[in-house]
Amino acid sequence: MSDIPANLTWERPAPPEATGPGPWIELAFGDNDLVYIRETSDPETVVTTTRKKWDAFVLGVQAGEFDHFVEGVEGVEDGAP
């Protein structure tokens, strides 16, 4: 993708104890408050959002606003971070 800057530093926000090839989500913070998101198994597909929207999403996750998406998923305990 030509509109994705080549000099981005991709970070994998995973727990330090997480091992294996993933797939993992990777993030890169670019110029003009842009946030780039991709999956390690498909690095050519990149989603872009703004820092303001990313911050709102993270705050929503921390507040439990998306907990209903993991109800019934094995290995996910009620109230677990």
Side-chain angles (χ1 to χ4, degrees):
M1 298 188 128
S2 61
D3 57 339
I4 305 300
N7 64 340
L8 293 174
T9 301
W10 292 96
E11 299 180 40
R12 185 184 79 176
E17 68 275 5
T19 60
W24 303 99
I25 298 296
E26 293 181 311
L27 300 171
F29 297 91
D31 294 336
N32 300 318
D33 285 331
L34 291 177
V35 179
Y36 300 86
I37 307 165
R38 70 181 184 184
E39 191 173 317
T40 56
S41 63
D42 187 12
E44 297 301 315
T45 301
V46 177
V47 176
T48 305
T49 190
T50 64
R51 183 63 189 242
K52 185 175 180 177
K53 290 177 184 178
W54 175 253
D55 290 345
F57 171 73
V58 170
L59 290 172
V61 169
Q62 291 174 336
E65 294 175 16
F66 301 97
D67 289 356
H68 62 282
F69 286 111
V70 295
E71 288 176 3
V73 174
E74 187 175 326
V76 177
E77 299 175 26
D78 289 337

